[in-house]
Amino acid sequence: MTQPETTSQTARRELVLEFEHGQQLRELAGEFGANLKQVGRDFGVRVSQRGTTITIRGDDGSVDIAADVLNQLYLLVGTGLTLSVPLVEQSCRMVRLDPSTNLAKTFTDVVFVGKKRSIFPRSANQAVYVDTMRKNDLVFGLGPAGTGKTYLAVAMAVAALANNEVQRIILCRPAVEAGEKLGFLPGDLVQKVNPYLRPLYDGLHDMLGYERVVRLMERGVIEVAPLAFMRGRTLSEAFVILDEAQNTTREQMKMFLTRLGVGSRAVVTGDLSQIDLPENTPSGLDEASRILRRIERIGFTEFTAEDVVRHGLVSAIVRAYDEARNADAHRGEAT
């Protein structure tokens, strides 16, 4: 790909990228140029296509980084990756945060080929998280909602099961009332807590399909249960995930971590900004994340609002709440 360029007398610049014509270029541009428009919005430049050329106009630095993203995305399309506007938006965010980002390395590291789509990291931190899960027996994934902590952990668990690295998958959550009273819900205890476990079921269904998940659960290969059901057990040859761990007490967290048996791996995920425990009850996740960091074979990955891979507004919402919480803390210190 050649990059002839012309420079105006002002600080603005025009850069022309030359591509081969064909399906790869059409997929790069997206339907009605949607992908190109997204790159333009993210970097504050104007991106236009004519034939086999894409022209970028804007400030000097912004033109260069937009060109880098387009070149990398073009190569990614050539590997068979299907582009979407959210994926392009995430790519722009990654390169903006770290210009040395290698999108191909991130997006071609397939964790698991699911029933609906291949699952791979969608941010630099997600790539670190996947690598950390591969290298450690116990991993903590900390950060806001929408960063893929639970989904990627489930994907790693399913991949480990498919590769015969473990014999079963155990997914659990603390059944903490987040503003709703369990006693008013219909059914027995299992039926009452099932809504709290819904995100774990959703991930499994997405990767394996509903019928296969049902069969594996009937055979006991996959178990989804409240954290309280783990007491007194030894979990061997299993991939164990504790989700929403910010809502564990100190005693519950210690109980969970000491369940691990021979050949087991565990991932603990949670968001310390969304604790639903009773007032003055310390979070077991908060304590564990402070006292276990120096132990070998235990890894930590911390996500931020920049890693959110849901709707673009979610990242902005998370940042707004973080800023409001920090402002409240400063006001409290001042008084």
Side-chain angles (χ1 to χ4, degrees):
M1 292 170 286
T2 60
Q3 300 186 9
E5 61 181 277
T6 60
T7 306
S8 65
Q9 294 180 348
T10 67
R12 296 185 66 79
R13 186 159 149 252
E14 177 181 291
L15 178 62
V16 179
L17 305 181
E18 194 68 50
F19 296 93
E20 294 181 4
H21 186 66
Q23 183 63 27
Q24 193 170 336
L25 178 56
R26 286 192 291 273
E27 291 186 17
L28 172 65
E31 188 174 9
F32 302 113
N35 295 336
L36 301 183
K37 291 174 184 176
Q38 184 62 51
V39 172
R41 283 193 295 269
D42 277 327
F43 296 115
V45 296
R46 182 181 175 186
V47 183
S48 59
Q49 178 188 2
R50 185 172 184 178
T52 60
T53 65
I54 292 177
T55 302
I56 309 169
R57 298 179 180 89
D59 293 337
D60 197 32
S62 298
V63 165
D64 284 335
I65 195 168
D68 179 41
V69 169
L70 288 171
N71 280 325
Q72 290 201 58
L73 291 177
Y74 180 78
L75 294 175
L76 269 173
V77 171
T79 69
L81 182 71
T82 300
L83 290 186
S84 64
V85 170
L87 184 59
V88 171
E89 182 181 13
Q90 188 65 32
S91 300
C92 292
R93 184 185 306 170
M94 291 170 61
V95 176
R96 186 170 58 247
L97 290 171
D98 181 4
S100 65
T101 296
N102 185 329
L103 296 177
K105 183 178 180 181
T106 299
F107 293 150
T108 57
D109 182 12
V110 176
V111 177
F112 182 73
V113 180
K115 189 174 181 65
K116 296 181 179 179
R117 64 179 183 274
S118 296
I119 299 163
F120 51 83
R122 290 176 176 266
S123 75
N125 245 358
Q126 284 194 358
V128 171
Y129 183 47
V130 168
D131 189 56
T132 302
M133 286 190 284
R134 286 174 175 152
K135 293 179 178 178
N136 295 276
D137 294 331
L138 172 61
V139 172
F140 288 81
L142 311 173
T147 51
K149 306 182 300 296
T150 302
Y151 195 80
L152 281 174
V154 173
M156 288 290 291
V158 172
L161 181 67
N163 294 330
N164 294 317
E165 297 170 14
V166 296
Q167 298 303 308
R168 54 184 173 155
I169 297 173
I170 300 174
L171 312 174
C172 60
R173 271 186 164 196
V176 173
E177 298 173 346
E180 308 89 356
K181 297 296 183 182
L182 286 173
F184 289 99
L185 295 174
D188 58 21
L189 178 60
V190 174
Q191 292 170 323
K192 288 176 186 290
V193 299
N194 259 349
Y196 290 83
L197 305 171
R198 188 76 258 167
L200 300 176
Y201 286 112
D202 289 344
L204 288 171
H205 294 162
D206 195 28
M207 295 170 205
L208 297 174
Y210 176 81
E211 292 182 356
R212 187 177 178 195
V213 170
V214 170
R215 289 197 302 270
L216 291 173
M217 293 184 71
E218 289 174 346
R219 291 164 47 198
V221 177
I222 295 179
E223 179 181 350
V224 183
L227 176 60
F229 288 19
M230 297 299 107
R231 191 173 298 278
R233 300 177 60 182
T234 299
L235 308 176
S236 301
E237 299 294 331
F239 197 116
V240 192
I241 299 173
L242 173 58
D243 192 31
E244 297 290 342
Q246 74 274 6
N247 290 326
T248 59
T249 64
R250 291 172 171 173
E251 293 76 17
Q252 287 175 324
M253 178 60 75
K254 183 178 179 181
M255 179 272 291
F256 172 79
L257 295 177
T258 54
R259 297 308 92 201
L260 297 181
V262 176
S264 285
R265 298 155 62 182
V267 179
V268 178
T269 69
D271 178 2
L272 289 171
S273 71
Q274 295 192 33
I275 297 174
D276 297 312
L277 292 168
E279 192 173 356
N280 298 322
T281 301
S283 167
L285 178 62
D286 186 29
E287 179 182 61
S289 66
R290 287 186 286 103
I291 68 177
L292 300 179
R293 288 183 181 265
R294 295 184 180 180
I295 299 180
E296 292 185 7
R297 296 165 70 184
I298 298 180
F300 288 82
T301 302
E302 297 190 16
F303 296 90
T304 69
E306 298 298 335
D307 297 302
V308 172
V309 293
R310 292 180 180 168
H311 191 288
L313 278 177
V314 176
S315 180
I317 290 169
V318 171
R319 282 196 298 270
Y321 273 98
D322 287 343
E323 291 168 2
R325 186 169 55 252
N326 292 335
D328 289 343
H330 288 315
R331 280 195 293 269
E333 293 173 0
T335 57

